[in-house]
Amino acid sequence: MEKMIPLINKLQDAFQQTGQSLDIDLPQIAVVGSQSAGKSSVLENFVGKDFLPRGSGIVTRRPLVLQLVNSPQGEWAEFYHAKGKKFTSFDEVRQEIEDETDRMTGSNKGISAIPINLTVYSPNVLNLTLVDLPGMTRVPVGDQPKDIEQQIRDMLYQFITRDSCLILAVSPANSDLANSDAMKIAKEVDPEGLRTIGVITKLDLMDQGTDAKEILENRLLPLRRGFVGVVNRSQKDIAGKKDIKAAMQNERKFFMTHASYRHMADKMGTPYLQKVLNQQLTNHIRETLPTLKQNLQKQLISMEKDVAKYKGFQNNDKGRRTKTMLQMVNQFSTNFQQAIEGSGITVSTESLTVGAKINKLFHERLPIQIAERKIEEKTLRREIKVVIQNTRGVRSGLFTPDMAFERIVKERIEELLTAPLNLVDNVTNEILESSKLCAQHMSAFPMLHQEVERIVNDHIREKESSCRTQVELQVNFELAYINTNHEDFIGFHNASSSEKSKKKTGMNQVIRRGYMSIDTGGGIKKMKGNQYWFVLNAESFSWFKSDAEQDKKYMIPMTDDLKVKSEKSESMFGNTTIKFTLFSNERKNIYQNSTKLDLIVGSDEELESWKAAFLRAGVYPESQSATRSTQEDDDIDGTITGADPQLERQVEQIRNLVDSYMQIIMRTLKDMTPKLVMHMLVNETKNFIADELLASLYQQCDMSALTEEAPEEAERRDELLKLYASLKEAMKIINDFTASTQYQAPPPAVDNSWMASSKSSPATRPPIQRQSSKASPKAPPKVSPA
């Protein structure tokens, strides 16, 4: 058991070599207390030397990890930051602590959570490891920040909240224990007192006639590990450099001769406190050792994969560099292919992959943008009238002119070019963004990363240009020849009918379902109070109270006069509402007594999806084309409408022909454009990355420069290997350690039932019992020697 504390010291040293914080808590004792509570004097008494900085205000401004090692070879100190240098003068130790503190925090009384590690070797100490923490304060001094109190508390919490940390709560006897800062913060993190050891200092400074007997007997604010009283040197003794050994003899004399404490003198004083801490820390280490070993094993297992690729690493190995580049390029190709095709081991639940985004562009964005180019009915009829009249010239035509039909159709086809070109742009942007994400694993090799991005981006831009040219050619093909013999074209005979030849298939097939809110003009409440389950098919648009699709609330037939328009609005509270409106362009009532129905959706994606669904049901978005003013419409209609009934029949005929032919063109564009983009842009990029990227790198770049590591990567690798080596060393230390002594459980809870009865009847308080030589349940735990 005596090897337990040196074991933890070895682990501490092993971890310190990495310079990184590990998710492993080593058993330790943290010393907490307010300023001038006597913490420094207690630690100096343990060592028997003056070695800690002293002064007014905050003196301890960084945690001091103090390792006491019993060594018969002599007395010296070593700092981790000055490895190999032995300090035999403890005045130099004090100065080094001050200098190292200033190096990290400056001289303005600031604080830092980065610890100073000090090991003291002496034949006069017991093996012990303590962490001396800054004293709690409330008032900033000098240039200290105003929140210095909170900063210190946060630092203390970093240590004392760990289950592996014992708390040495130091409180002065000449102040009320109930107001002790040390006890307050210990109670916050250890309410049951399982990890707290109480230390009462300055017993010799209490007012005459008072004592701390009830506290030290563990009857007032009891702790399961009890209290130990000590008497430190006074400020006069410290200034006069009174010998610590003489001071400890005076401490022993104080307890032996004081009427209130002499019955427990063998359980008081610095030597006893050091022995108790040694025993309890040893016992605590024994208790936490299995958990510590388990945590080390978890860390090692999690690092095995990363460390495996660095085994036998040699920076100038050409074979390794070539292999690394091949692996990087192959991984990039695999990542890109999985992003496009949706394959792979892991599937994201947070965001869409580039393949899913392109699919939405193909089947939602493109159809909507094509449909939005459909001209408004009134404007179309007006243009047809003008073209017919201009085609006739001074003549009165008896037949419907073919040229008027062809002229109108070609104008409409030219307007459709915007949507396919937008699709090419959007898909290109998605592929460029995806290639960047797929190449993130190359960041360890900056030149390789940069060249891969350059070559791939150049290729994508080249294919984008070819794709745009091909899309324009596709539209030019349609403009070059108006095929009036197409099997789906209604022809001049069927166009004479005033009824639209509109085919609907799958009448009962549901196009889309989902929740939406009906905007009733009720402000914010409308988002919560009017949610219904909507069902759209080619025949009707219905909604229900829930997704069980029972209790139908309303149904709107899918008629030819229905249109859709979308908008965003911002409320007075800054909330953005995304909604679309279903309305009749013939001003018919579609919902109760209204010609429109406002529906609220939760996101832009939902809006696009619903608009695409309505488009499949034959409901087109509101025209995006600019129209003439009402006055201009009235002038043209007034001039033409009543003057020539034959012209009106021809207008109707050409309008039906244009509508039929444009349906064919739009279906062709919606079908062929995604195929063209997929072949010329997406698949070409994917094949280039898989088959030609590596050859382009060899042809255009210097291989030695490509495989040059970033300094950060070399540093990360070194840190990883050091960390792994430290963990392996720690596991070896633990595995080599054997302990035969049985573990002794912490003390049981203190029976403080007498406190309640004493409040009701002070006379019934039990007399103070002198502790016998037998172990008491309230006494600190004892352990057998190894």
Side-chain angles (χ1 to χ4, degrees):
M1 289 295 285
E2 291 162 354
K3 297 179 181 179
M4 284 284 188
I5 295 176
L7 166 70
I8 296 301
N9 291 343
K10 288 182 181 179
L11 294 179
Q12 184 75 42
D13 292 341
F15 293 155
Q16 284 291 332
Q17 294 174 9
T18 67
Q20 296 191 14
S21 60
L22 296 170
D23 189 20
I24 295 176
D25 296 333
L26 295 177
Q28 57 192 359
I29 298 176
V31 186
V32 298
S34 59
Q35 287 184 33
S36 304
K39 298 189 290 88
S40 297
S41 295
V42 170
L43 298 181
E44 287 182 335
N45 288 349
F46 287 167
V47 178
K49 299 287 183 180
D50 291 320
F51 69 97
L52 293 175
R54 293 184 178 276
S56 60
I58 301 177
V59 177
T60 305
R61 294 184 284 126
R62 288 178 60 183
L64 175 68
V65 179
L66 177 62
Q67 296 177 354
L68 303 182
V69 180
N70 183 272
S71 172
Q73 281 80 27
E75 196 170 48
W76 75 94
E78 292 180 2
F79 287 94
Y80 180 80
H81 64 266
K83 242 179 175 180
K85 180 179 180 181
K86 290 186 177 182
F87 291 80
T88 55
S89 169
F90 283 85
D91 289 335
E92 293 180 6
V93 171
R94 182 191 306 109
Q95 188 61 46
E96 182 63 24
I97 293 174
E98 292 177 355
D99 294 343
E100 181 63 18
T101 300
D102 290 342
R103 276 194 287 268
M104 185 61 62
T105 63
S107 57
N108 64 344
K109 300 294 184 180
I111 64 171
S112 170
I114 300 175
I116 297 174
N117 289 76
L118 171 64
T119 304
V120 175
Y121 299 87
S122 172
N124 304 316
V125 299
L126 295 178
N127 290 331
L128 196 58
T129 300
L130 305 107
V131 182
D132 185 23
L133 297 170
M136 287 174 278
T137 184
R138 291 183 175 84
V139 181
V141 176
D143 296 331
Q144 288 177 348
K146 294 181 179 179
D147 63 340
I148 187 68
E149 178 184 5
Q150 188 59 45
Q151 286 189 27
I152 292 176
R153 291 181 70 87
D154 292 342
M155 184 192 301
L156 267 55
Y157 286 141
Q158 291 180 25
F159 290 87
I160 64 176
T161 52
R162 303 170 184 170
D163 290 338
S164 61
C165 180
L166 296 180
I167 305 169
L168 190 65
V170 180
S171 305
N174 57 354
S175 64
D176 189 358
L177 185 63
N179 296 324
S180 166
D181 290 331
M183 293 303 298
K184 281 183 179 179
I185 197 169
K187 283 290 185 183
E188 288 179 20
V189 299
D190 181 32
E192 296 182 4
L194 290 172
R195 300 185 286 116
T196 304
I197 305 168
V199 176
I200 305 299
T201 62
K202 303 186 180 181
L203 291 168
D204 56 330
L205 300 181
M206 296 186 71
D207 293 338
Q208 191 171 1
T210 62
D211 58 48
K213 183 170 60 175
E214 284 192 341
I215 298 174
L216 296 175
E217 289 179 341
N218 209 22
R219 296 195 295 146
L220 182 67
L221 297 177
L223 296 174
R224 294 180 69 170
R225 296 180 183 267
F227 288 88
V228 177
V230 296
V231 174
N232 298 325
R233 291 177 298 168
S234 65
Q235 193 61 42
K236 180 180 178 181
D237 293 336
I238 296 172
K241 297 189 178 297
K242 183 176 180 178
D243 184 62
I244 292 180
K245 291 182 180 179
M248 292 178 68
Q249 290 177 357
N250 291 339
E251 177 191 48
R252 176 66 177 166
K253 181 179 179 182
F254 172 83
F255 284 114
M256 291 293 292
T257 59
H258 198 287
S260 298
Y261 308 128
R262 59 190 176 195
H263 67 285
M264 56 177 110
D266 57 335
K267 303 293 184 182
M268 296 290 117
T270 301
Y272 179 76
L273 174 60
Q274 191 173 5
K275 180 180 178 182
V276 166
L277 295 181
N278 172 269
Q279 290 176 335
Q280 297 212 22
L281 180 57
T282 300
N283 199 41
H284 188 59
I285 293 170
R286 174 72 178 183
E287 178 186 2
T288 57
L289 200 57
T291 304
L292 175 60
K293 183 176 180 179
Q294 186 179 10
N295 290 339
L296 285 172
Q297 288 174 333
K298 287 181 180 178
Q299 291 252 10
L300 281 170
I301 292 172
S302 66
M303 295 176 62
E304 287 287 352
K305 185 178 179 181
D306 291 334
V307 172
K309 59 185 178 183
Y310 295 130
K311 288 183 178 178
F313 176 84
Q314 292 182 1
N315 192 34
N316 296 322
D317 185 355
K318 291 184 178 180
R320 181 199 63 81
R321 289 192 170 201
T322 302
K323 180 180 178 181
T324 298
M325 191 180 72
L326 289 173
Q327 289 175 339
M328 290 287 176
V329 174
N330 289 337
Q331 184 63 49
F332 175 59
S333 176
T334 302
N335 292 346
F336 189 80
Q337 182 174 346
Q338 291 177 352
I340 296 295
E341 298 179 356
S343 57
I345 300 175
T346 59
V347 179
S348 173
T349 59
E350 301 296 329
S351 59
L352 294 177
T353 62
V354 64
K357 291 178 180 178
I358 291 175
N359 181 274
K360 289 175 73 68
L361 291 174
F362 284 167
H363 302 297
E364 291 187 9
R365 183 69 61 83
L366 177 65
I368 290 173
Q369 290 186 346
I370 288 177
E372 286 176 344
R373 305 312 303 171
K374 185 177 180 181
I375 199 165
E376 197 267 339
E377 178 75 16
K378 201 171 187 179
T379 305
L380 177 61
R381 297 180 70 88
R382 184 184 63 245
E383 290 183 0
I384 293 173
K385 290 176 186 179
V386 173
V387 171
I388 290 175
Q389 291 183 93
N390 288 339
T391 303
R392 288 176 179 176
V394 297
R395 297 165 295 174
S396 298
L398 299 176
F399 304 102
T400 304
D402 292 352
M403 290 181 63
F405 162 74
E406 188 167 323
R407 179 76 179 86
I408 294 295
V409 163
K410 285 186 176 181
E411 282 189 1
R412 302 285 82 76
I413 293 175
E414 287 177 349
E415 291 176 355
L416 291 178
L417 178 61
T418 303
L421 291 179
N422 286 341
L423 177 67
V424 175
D425 293 340
N426 291 332
V427 171
T428 300
N429 292 335
E430 292 294 345
I431 293 177
L432 287 171
E433 185 64 28
S434 179
S435 68
K436 288 182 180 179
L437 294 175
C438 293
Q440 288 298 315
H441 65 285
M442 298 183 183
S443 58
F445 301 90
M447 186 61 71
L448 177 63
H449 192 186
Q450 179 181 336
E451 289 302 313
V452 165
E453 281 198 352
R454 179 186 64 80
I455 292 172
V456 172
N457 288 357
D458 289 347
H459 179 81
I460 292 173
R461 289 300 183 187
E462 179 185 342
K463 293 304 172 183
E464 177 195 19
S465 178
S466 301
C467 192
R468 288 179 66 90
T469 301
Q470 194 63 35
V471 166
E472 292 172 354
L473 281 175
Q474 177 180 304
V475 175
N476 289 336
F477 294 158
E478 300 292 348
L479 290 170
Y481 179 64
I482 306 300
N483 182 17
T484 55
N485 289 324
H486 195 284
E487 61 182 3
D488 293 332
F489 185 57
I490 61 174
F492 276 77
H493 174 71
N494 293 329
S496 300
S497 171
S498 60
E499 293 292 329
K500 291 185 179 179
S501 175
K502 184 178 181 180
K503 296 181 181 180
K504 289 187 178 181
T505 57
M507 301 292 285
N508 296 323
Q509 181 181 0
V510 174
I511 298 174
R512 199 187 192 289
R513 290 183 171 96
Y515 278 106
M516 286 189 289
S517 299
I518 297 177
D519 184 1
T520 58
I524 295 177
K525 293 183 179 178
K526 64 192 176 187
M527 289 296 293
K528 300 180 180 178
N530 298 310
Q531 274 221 335
Y532 298 103
W533 178 258
F534 290 81
V535 178
L536 172 66
N537 57 40
E539 245 185 353
S540 64
F541 181 53
S542 310
W543 58 91
F544 304 83
K545 188 175 181 179
S546 68
D547 55 10
E549 298 186 12
Q550 298 175 354
D551 187 18
K552 183 184 290 186
K553 295 298 181 183
Y554 208 85
M555 183 186 75
I556 298 176
M558 292 290 98
T559 56
D560 296 328
D561 61 306
L562 289 180
K563 299 289 180 185
V564 170
K565 65 179 179 179
S566 57
E567 63 177 297
K568 286 185 181 181
S569 61
E570 189 168 325
S571 69
M572 61 182 294
F573 299 99
N575 298 317
T576 300
T577 301
I578 304 171
K579 69 179 181 180
F580 67 92
T581 301
L582 188 66
F583 67 98
S584 168
N585 65 345
E586 296 180 2
R587 297 189 176 278
K588 297 178 182 177
N589 290 341
I590 63 170
Y591 173 55
Q592 295 177 350
N593 296 323
S594 177
T595 59
K596 67 175 185 175
L597 175 66
D598 293 326
L599 297 165
I600 301 172
V601 295
S603 65
D604 290 325
E605 289 187 356
E606 283 189 54
L607 175 63
E608 293 290 331
S609 181
W610 273 109
K611 287 173 67 177
F614 274 104
L615 184 59
R616 291 197 294 274
V619 179
Y620 290 90
E622 184 183 35
S623 172
Q624 302 297 313
S625 304
T627 58
R628 299 185 184 186
S629 67
T630 305
Q631 182 63 41
E632 291 175 324
D633 292 342
D634 292 343
D635 290 343
I636 294 175
D637 292 344
T639 305
I640 299 173
T641 302
D644 192 348
Q646 184 179 355
L647 177 61
E648 286 299 313
R649 288 194 297 272
Q650 292 175 353
V651 168
E652 180 66 20
Q653 188 177 26
I654 291 181
R655 195 210 65 78
N656 288 339
L657 290 171
V658 170
D659 185 64
S660 174
Y661 197 80
M662 290 307 298
Q663 291 292 335
I664 296 171
I665 299 300
M666 288 191 292
R667 282 199 301 270
T668 302
L669 288 179
K670 287 187 285 187
D671 178 56
M672 291 302 299
T673 306
K675 294 177 180 178
L676 191 154
V677 171
M678 196 69 194
H679 172 71
M680 297 197 67
L681 186 55
V682 179
N683 287 344
E684 280 291 327
T685 302
K686 184 174 62 175
N687 294 336
F688 173 80
I689 292 173
D691 302 332
E692 300 180 35
L693 176 58
L694 191 60
S696 298
L697 286 169
Y698 273 105
Q699 183 179 4
Q700 301 180 28
C701 308
D702 178 15
M703 290 299 101
S704 60
L706 284 181
T707 53
E708 191 67 35
E709 274 186 327
E712 299 83 16
E713 174 63 15
E715 183 179 346
R716 192 190 75 84
R717 182 185 64 249
D718 292 342
E719 289 177 353
L720 180 67
L721 293 175
K722 284 181 182 179
L723 179 59
Y724 184 75
S726 295
L727 291 173
K728 292 284 286 185
E729 177 66 19
M731 280 300 299
K732 182 178 183 300
I733 292 170
I734 292 178
N735 290 332
D736 290 345
F737 176 78
T738 56
S740 58
T741 306
Q742 294 184 352
Y743 162 68
Q744 180 179 342
V750 177
D751 181 12
N752 56 2
S753 58
W754 63 270
M755 296 178 68
S757 60
S758 64
K759 290 179 181 179
S760 59
S761 177
T764 62
R765 178 179 296 186
I768 298 173
Q769 299 292 329
R770 297 178 182 269
Q771 295 191 12
S772 64
S773 58
K774 294 182 180 180
S776 169
K778 304 179 185 63
K782 292 185 177 181
V783 291
S784 304

